[in-house]
Amino acid sequence: MQSMNDYYSAVQLRADRWSSLREKLDFLSKNPDGRRAKTVHAEAAKLFDSLALIERYWAFPGTAAFDTMRRQFEHNHLGELAYAVSRVNRALSTGAYRRRTIPLDREGRDEDQDEVSLLPPDARSLAKPYFEVMIVDDVNEHQERWLKTNMTSMRRVEDDFIYEPVIVPSLQDALIGVLFNHNIQAIIVRPGLKLESDVELPILTRYLSRAGGAEELEDIANQDLGPELCRLIAKVRPELDAYLVTDRSVEDIAGLDLGICRRVFYNQEDFMELHLNILRGVQARYNTPFFTALKEYSRQPTGVFHAMPISRGKSITRSHWIQDMGTFYGPNIFLAETSATSGGLDSLLEPHGTIKEAQELASRAFGSKQTFFATNGTSTCNKIVVQALVRPDDIVLVDRDCHKSHHYGMVLSGAQVCYLDSYPLNEYSMYGAVPLKEIKAQLLKLKAAGKLDRVRMLLLTNCTFDGIVYNVERVMEECLAIKPDLVFLWDEAWFAFARFGPTYRQRTGMNAANNLRQKLRTPEHEKAYAKQQEKLKDADDATLLKTRLIPSPKARVRVYATQSTHKTLTSLRQGSMIHVNDQDFKGQVEESFHEAYMTHTSTSPNYQIIASLDVGRRQVELEGFEFVQRQVEAAMSMRRAISTHPLLQKYFKVLAAGDMIPEEHRESGVTSYYDPEQGWTDTWNCWEKDEFVLDATRVTLAVGGTGWDGDTFKTDILMDKYGIQINKTSRNTVLFMTNIGTTRSSVAYLIEVLVEIAKELDEKLDDASKMERLSFEKRVKNLMQDLPPLPDFSYFHPAFCADPHTGEGDLRTPFFLAYDENNCDYLDLNGDILLEIEKGREVVSASFIIPYPPGFPILVPGQVISREILAFMRALDVSEIHGYRADLGLRVFTDEILAKQVAKKTNK
Ligand SMILES: Cc1ncc(COP(=O)(O)O)c(C=O)c1O
């Protein structure tokens, strides 16, 4: 049996225990008196013990059936038992138990039904969705049966869903249950619940630290447990519904924070009322107003007299030449195509009906105050938010290696940009993220220069392409302490899924905004603030930089997050969302936001994308938790497999938190989420504390040891030879991204491929001549050691920068100056440019220069070109540099135009 440390999650452990048990029982039923029978019997007994602790949290097979199996084992009825266990295994892996009752004895067998799980998706979509309801009450066996019977006897044919109850006795069991059993959608908290669980299985009890930690659980020992449970679950699984049955009076309950509680029942046993509420609660998440309207629309016979020949497939069905398009896509996509102006459905630009409702549901799901859909990606969302909030000459602090849409947003808005440098990871030729100290230092500098009132926004990428995640709440707290109405734009293009993993959620913009809003209102916060103010009365900047600053209770929480739903959740390409949690949105921003939305949104938005956003939202509210959990499991098993395989270790290295985050930003000291000796680290702790953490679902693999650079490895090896697609590389790394659709078998395939590559390399080196070997070693050294240091942002030329001390620059003027050819020159990257710099000329870029990889602008218009930047560009040896023409060189401004600009500025 594998040790507990080998399992990242209890879900994996459970699946593995069941399949081990099946193997053991199979063996025993065939070899009851064999040589190994005794050992195997003991192993099976251990598996039963271990499963007994686990199964109490799941409705299938259920504690009664489990106890029956255990009795069969004790009485040596191995034949029947092996059969039952194999049925359980099969039903668990196919999910058949969700669709029907699974008989565990041979008499109950129904051969035909056994294959229901293999039904085509059409038929499966007609089955009633299944979920589990957790009842929390400390009851005896007899009462448990009574409760279960009462619940299941409420079922009606007309119910849209079907559920099974699971009963646990205590608050702690309930917390473990909701974090372990992803089938749970609703919780009934009854007055009899106790506080503590008697389960002592670390892989289960560690869930408790997620749900508040030992301290919080100790604090509630004397409280009314029911409401406390509802409140605690709201922190970890806010999408669930709870129903509180209480024997307290209405007055006792009123005014308590009831978290996810949808309804309180005052000590009544009205099971039908409870049943209807449970179904209604799930229905509220299942509802997809726009998708439903679109389906209905597609069924209506309409005559098309608007400009859209593809609508209802007319231009295809009548065609002689494009019939294959109709066959490939099927009819529904065309039946559902219509024009917003035709009036059949709601309009994205002025939503009043089903799109508005769908956006409101998304807002609930993602924890925002307002949510807006976008059908042209986060590139557009970013520009909308920037335009809505930033006026010309406002100062914006921007992470320099952010997505190019932000840089273009700065051009459009006419902002004064302060670029912030991320910490470099020179060894891997990639950037990390911007340290909080650097952000604070820039804000303090602006404050000292008397410009704080012009500072409008801080714009950061969370998480970065490579998976570095900020401590969002802390960044906002400390920045608000310096500038109390700062607006935050968190580019969460890669982080939409994060809301649905409890560990991840704490580091999302929306969750942090909600926490902050609550925190700022508390008397404890007010006191802490006053105390710190007193202490820091005459503090200098160095002290402020070292101190964890507390914002004023009057600070305004103004947070925006943009997410590419299509990158990490279910949505058609380009489906994105803007989430708003801005206390001043209604009063100050709504109008300008509307204008910005109009500026950038197509008047012909794609309805299919909007519908997919609506359905994607349904999915995350009902199974986001499960899918994110599985994704993390898949990524973790990939990390583990690569870092423990002896052959793979020779050529590859999975980068861990310790490789990608410098020590000073990892307060927990955790360097890796997996250690071959100690097993898994509980990531919760570092996610709570550290300045930066690593999103483990993005696996960066150093491949320099193979002698291939990242780009060659990606294109020539992974893609051309094995059909594996990835999109991000650095000089010596490739990035494997998992997503909510990644399966264990796709991970297994990747490992197989890596092993094959390593074997081939081994063989090649075995047969290599001395020269060939030396050449290989040189290539590896060149890739792994001789890396050009990543350059910092240099500075804006005085023609575009008002104040070299604070450094903010204007991108818009140089961007448009470059439209006139006469203002520009080209200088050869390998010759002229260096000579000019040697002569003392400030050579200024006239365009964005974006090498891919790493994919962020190494130069922006108006920026002075430094020797470091040139050295980096020369060493990059990438074929793709956007904005650079190898035949002409770098586009730079002439000295004349720069002098003219400076004079113009001075005269102003
Ligand atoms: C950090 C970041 N923001 C925004 C975007 C743009 O998103 P979209 O492709 O949805 O337009 C990307 C795209 O890769 C990105 O990496």
Side-chain angles (χ1 to χ4, degrees):
M1 195 173 2
Q2 281 188 294
S3 106
M4 208 69 85
N5 272 347
D6 292 324
Y7 292 96
Y8 171 70
S9 86
V11 174
Q12 278 177 334
L13 175 86
R14 179 181 186 226
D16 232 58
R17 291 283 189 264
W18 275 108
S19 83
S20 281
L21 185 61
R22 182 184 55 74
E23 281 167 23
K24 310 266 176 243
L25 294 172
D26 241 19
F27 177 88
L28 284 177
S29 62
K30 286 179 194 135
N31 311 280
D33 306 313
R35 194 167 44 87
R36 290 195 52 243
K38 211 164 153 194
T39 323
V40 176
H41 196 275
E43 285 167 354
K46 256 193 185 162
L47 286 168
F48 266 115
D49 288 346
S50 159
L51 280 169
L53 300 177
I54 289 172
E55 288 311 313
R56 61 176 79 180
Y57 299 104
W58 297 82
F60 177 80
T63 37
F66 185 78
D67 290 344
T68 308
M69 286 185 260
R70 222 169 168 178
R71 273 195 299 275
Q72 285 174 328
F73 183 63
E74 279 153 15
H75 295 128
N76 241 355
H77 296 160
L78 295 178
E80 289 113 273
L81 175 59
Y83 177 77
V85 170
S86 80
R87 297 279 295 170
V88 170
N89 254 288
R90 203 174 139 78
L92 285 177
S93 63
T94 59
Y97 71 94
R98 306 176 74 95
R99 294 178 279 280
R100 64 193 173 84
T101 312
I102 308 286
L104 297 181
D105 53 355
R106 281 182 218 273
E107 283 85 71
R109 176 145 197 196
D110 179 343
E111 292 287 347
D112 291 333
Q113 283 210 3
D114 208 25
E115 300 310 321
V116 169
S117 61
L118 305 175
L119 285 176
D122 274 6
R124 275 180 59 183
S125 74
L126 297 176
K128 282 185 188 183
Y130 164 96
F131 61 91
E132 292 173 18
V133 173
M134 195 168 67
I135 304 172
V136 196
D137 200 356
D138 188 14
V139 286
N140 61 29
E141 227 173 280
H142 168 74
Q143 290 164 320
E144 180 166 334
R145 231 174 299 128
W146 175 81
L147 265 177
K148 278 188 178 164
T149 318
N150 269 306
M151 293 298 293
T152 44
S153 63
M154 294 301 124
R155 283 182 190 159
R156 304 160 314 155
V157 250
E158 63 267 37
D159 292 344
D160 290 322
F161 313 106
I162 188 152
Y163 65 82
E164 287 287 346
V166 190
I167 301 180
V168 295
S170 72
L171 178 141
Q172 291 191 346
D173 283 305
L175 292 174
I176 294 171
V178 293
L179 287 167
F180 179 23
N181 180 350
H182 46 244
N183 286 339
I184 288 171
Q185 298 291 355
I187 301 111
I188 301 167
V189 185
R190 291 173 53 89
L193 84 160
K194 56 180 185 175
L195 174 65
E196 282 179 31
S197 162
D198 55 15
V199 165
E200 282 177 13
L201 194 63
I203 202 163
L204 292 180
T205 49
R206 77 175 180 211
Y207 283 129
L208 292 175
S209 64
R210 272 161 224 200
E215 269 171 43
E216 183 150 12
L217 294 184
E218 235 167 65
D219 281 353
I220 60 170
N222 301 320
Q223 317 255 351
D224 190 351
L225 296 180
E228 285 302 313
L229 177 57
C230 297
R231 186 179 65 78
L232 287 170
I233 297 179
K235 284 193 353 197
V236 284
R237 302 269 332 255
E239 68 278 13
L240 300 182
D241 302 317
Y243 301 93
L244 181 64
V245 182
T246 178
D247 48 12
R248 297 290 182 91
S249 69
V250 181
E251 294 76 35
D252 280 349
I253 300 293
L256 292 180
D257 174 4
L258 291 182
I260 54 162
C261 184
R262 275 176 77 89
R263 228 190 115 172
V264 182
F265 293 91
Y266 290 94
N267 212 7
Q268 39 173 313
E269 302 287 11
D270 188 341
F271 286 98
M272 182 47 81
E273 194 58 25
L274 205 49
H275 173 75
L276 294 175
N277 269 281
I278 288 168
L279 295 182
R280 211 174 303 142
V282 172
Q283 183 68 51
R285 281 178 270 155
Y286 188 84
N287 270 350
T288 41
F290 185 71
F291 176 54
T292 308
L294 192 67
K295 279 194 295 183
E296 252 149 45
Y297 170 86
S298 74
R299 286 187 208 117
Q300 287 165 17
T302 47
V304 176
F305 291 100
H306 56 70
M308 204 180 173
I310 208 170
S311 171
R312 315 205 72 84
K314 296 283 194 251
S315 66
I316 299 167
T317 44
R318 290 154 53 97
S319 163
H320 305 295
W321 294 93
I322 60 168
Q323 283 291 331
D324 54 340
M325 182 184 184
T327 317
F328 181 70
Y329 287 108
N332 282 344
I333 194 160
F334 306 112
L335 288 173
E337 273 296 353
T338 181
S339 141
T341 42
S342 68
L345 286 158
D346 202 4
S347 149
L348 182 66
L349 289 159
E350 291 286 351
H352 293 292
T354 47
I355 293 183
K356 183 165 180 278
E357 280 171 51
Q359 292 186 148
E360 283 164 3
L361 294 182
S363 167
R364 175 187 71 193
F366 288 89
S368 73
K369 299 295 173 196
Q370 288 88 11
T371 285
F372 300 89
F373 290 168
T375 58
N376 16 17
T378 300
S379 305
T380 294
C381 297
N382 288 336
K383 286 177 219 146
I384 292 174
V385 177
V386 166
Q387 183 181 322
L389 286 139
V390 177
R391 295 152 303 193
D393 274 347
D394 277 353
I395 297 174
V396 181
L397 275 59
V398 184
D399 129 29
R400 199 239 329 195
D401 45 320
C402 62
H403 188 255
K404 58 183 177 221
S405 53
H406 297 292
H407 302 280
Y408 288 113
M410 294 302 128
V411 170
L412 295 177
S413 67
Q416 293 285 331
V417 185
C418 277
Y419 277 119
L420 302 166
D421 283 311
S422 297
Y423 65 80
L425 289 164
N426 289 324
E427 259 179 279
Y428 303 108
S429 233
M430 59 171 89
Y431 281 94
V434 185
L436 177 54
K437 229 179 188 169
E438 158 119 14
I439 305 170
K440 282 166 71 180
Q442 185 63 42
L443 282 172
L444 290 170
K445 222 192 269 180
L446 288 159
K447 184 177 179 186
K451 294 184 190 167
L452 215 47
D453 59 325
R454 283 177 50 210
V455 177
R456 184 72 167 161
M457 177 187 273
L458 170 66
L459 196 161
L460 296 170
T461 311
N462 190 56
C463 67
T464 67
F465 210 143
D466 303 293
I468 309 293
V469 185
Y470 284 86
N471 188 334
V472 176
E473 196 168 326
R474 177 159 180 190
V475 169
M476 297 205 288
E477 264 180 28
E478 293 216 42
C479 290
L480 286 176
I482 303 173
K483 163 81 179 160
D485 59 352
L486 187 63
V487 178
F488 298 88
L489 169 53
W490 294 98
D491 181 335
E492 294 184 355
W494 294 103
F495 220 39
F497 73 99
R499 169 94 189 153
F500 304 94
T503 312
Y504 283 87
R505 182 181 308 114
Q506 42 180 340
R507 292 204 174 214
T508 59
M510 289 303 112
N511 202 59
N514 286 324
N515 285 352
L516 261 181
R517 284 172 85 140
Q518 257 187 12
K519 190 170 175 179
L520 291 183
R521 281 198 291 260
T522 60
E524 295 82 20
H525 180 85
E526 191 159 353
K527 240 193 252 160
Y529 171 72
K531 200 167 150 201
Q532 188 176 68
Q533 284 299 297
E534 187 60 34
K535 201 167 155 207
L536 294 178
K537 217 166 14 173
D538 304 309
D540 56 9
D541 281 3
T543 315
L544 295 178
L545 284 176
K546 267 190 285 177
T547 311
R548 177 162 187 165
L549 300 176
I550 300 175
S552 153
K554 295 202 183 86
R556 306 297 291 167
V557 176
R558 313 196 57 187
V559 187
Y560 293 75
T562 50
Q563 294 179 341
S564 296
T565 318
H566 66 98
K567 287 196 204 297
T568 63
L569 299 174
T570 299
S571 156
L572 292 178
R573 205 68 177 143
Q574 297 189 3
S576 284
M577 296 189 197
I578 302 171
H579 302 300
V580 181
N581 204 325
D582 177 356
Q583 285 179 302
D584 294 332
F585 185 77
K586 287 261 170 67
Q588 297 180 20
V589 190
E590 205 163 15
E591 283 300 311
S592 59
F593 189 93
H594 186 68
E595 288 300 325
Y597 195 81
M598 289 291 171
T599 309
H600 296 282
T601 303
S602 162
T603 43
S604 319
N606 184 310
Y607 276 154
Q608 320 292 345
I609 299 178
I610 302 171
S612 75
L613 286 170
D614 198 16
V615 180
R617 188 274 312 148
R618 176 210 284 173
Q619 177 176 38
V620 287
E621 278 201 300
L622 289 160
E623 56 187 5
F625 173 76
E626 175 185 358
F627 276 60
V628 170
Q629 186 172 300
R630 283 194 200 286
Q631 176 188 354
V632 177
E633 275 167 25
M636 289 296 194
S637 66
M638 182 159 139
R639 286 175 170 272
R640 179 170 162 239
I642 302 175
S643 38
T644 52
H645 196 293
L647 184 58
L648 295 184
Q649 276 170 298
K650 249 169 110 176
Y651 299 103
F652 304 108
K653 180 180 178 205
V654 173
L655 300 193
D659 301 302
M660 297 185 68
I661 303 166
E663 203 174 346
E664 69 259 37
H665 306 302
R666 266 184 295 109
E667 290 79 347
S668 67
V670 169
T671 53
S672 169
Y673 301 150
Y674 178 76
D675 177 294
E677 246 117 72
Q678 288 168 18
W680 298 104
T681 306
D682 189 356
T683 51
W684 182 265
N685 197 19
C686 35
W687 276 69
E688 214 174 11
K689 272 198 213 134
D690 290 359
E691 176 169 5
F692 298 116
V693 286
L694 181 65
D695 169 10
T697 67
R698 312 172 141 255
V699 182
T700 301
L701 189 70
V703 297
T706 61
W708 289 302
D709 64 78
D711 205 37
T712 312
F713 190 79
K714 163 188 158 176
T715 319
D716 298 2
I717 311 296
L718 289 178
M719 216 139 86
D720 292 353
K721 235 172 135 184
Y722 296 100
I724 290 177
Q725 293 181 8
I726 56 165
N727 55 6
K728 164 88 172 40
T729 60
S730 79
R731 191 166 151 77
N732 53 17
T733 66
V734 295
L735 173 67
F736 295 106
M737 274 188 262
T738 55
N739 62 48
I740 57 166
T742 305
T743 57
R744 270 174 125 176
S745 54
S746 51
V747 170
Y749 176 61
L750 175 66
I751 307 292
E752 262 171 49
V753 165
L754 292 178
V755 170
E756 202 171 313
I757 294 170
K759 270 191 188 148
E760 271 180 29
L761 273 171
D762 249 10
E763 277 166 25
K764 221 158 131 191
L765 286 175
D766 229 22
D767 295 340
S769 68
K770 194 172 165 199
M771 290 273 282
E772 284 170 327
R773 194 178 285 272
L774 275 176
S775 148
F776 175 79
E777 280 161 13
K778 200 166 155 213
R779 272 204 318 273
V780 172
K781 181 169 171 292
N782 180 274
L783 285 169
M784 298 301 275
Q785 290 171 21
D786 306 335
L787 288 152
L790 293 160
D792 277 347
F793 180 76
S794 51
Y795 58 94
F796 283 107
H797 187 271
F800 312 111
C801 174
D803 178 353
H805 176 64
T806 43
E808 67 277 16
D810 161 25
L811 283 179
R812 185 189 176 109
T813 311
F815 182 87
F816 286 110
L817 273 183
Y819 275 27
D820 184 346
E821 257 186 3
N822 297 323
N823 294 334
C824 304
D825 250 347
Y826 284 95
L827 290 180
D828 178 28
L829 183 62
N830 294 310
D832 303 349
I833 214 167
L834 212 65
L835 290 177
E836 294 293 317
I837 294 177
E838 297 291 340
K839 275 195 252 163
R841 173 175 165 193
E842 275 182 311
V843 182
V844 180
S845 178
S847 50
F848 284 107
I849 302 290
I850 309 178
Y852 192 89
F856 65 87
I858 193 132
L859 285 168
V860 302
Q863 183 184 348
V864 174
I865 302 171
S866 65
R867 284 170 220 270
E868 292 77 21
I869 293 173
L870 285 181
F872 181 72
M873 278 188 78
R874 269 196 236 105
L876 259 180
D877 70 20
V878 294
S879 49
E880 219 179 307
I881 304 184
H882 304 163
Y884 172 67
R885 299 235 345 227
D887 53 338
L888 293 171
L890 277 174
R891 193 158 197 237
V892 301
F893 283 117
T894 61
D895 279 350
E896 292 71 39
I897 189 63
L898 292 172
K900 214 161 128 189
Q901 271 307 115
V902 172
K904 210 161 140 191
K905 265 183 110 119
T906 327
N907 292 339
K908 250 198 211 169

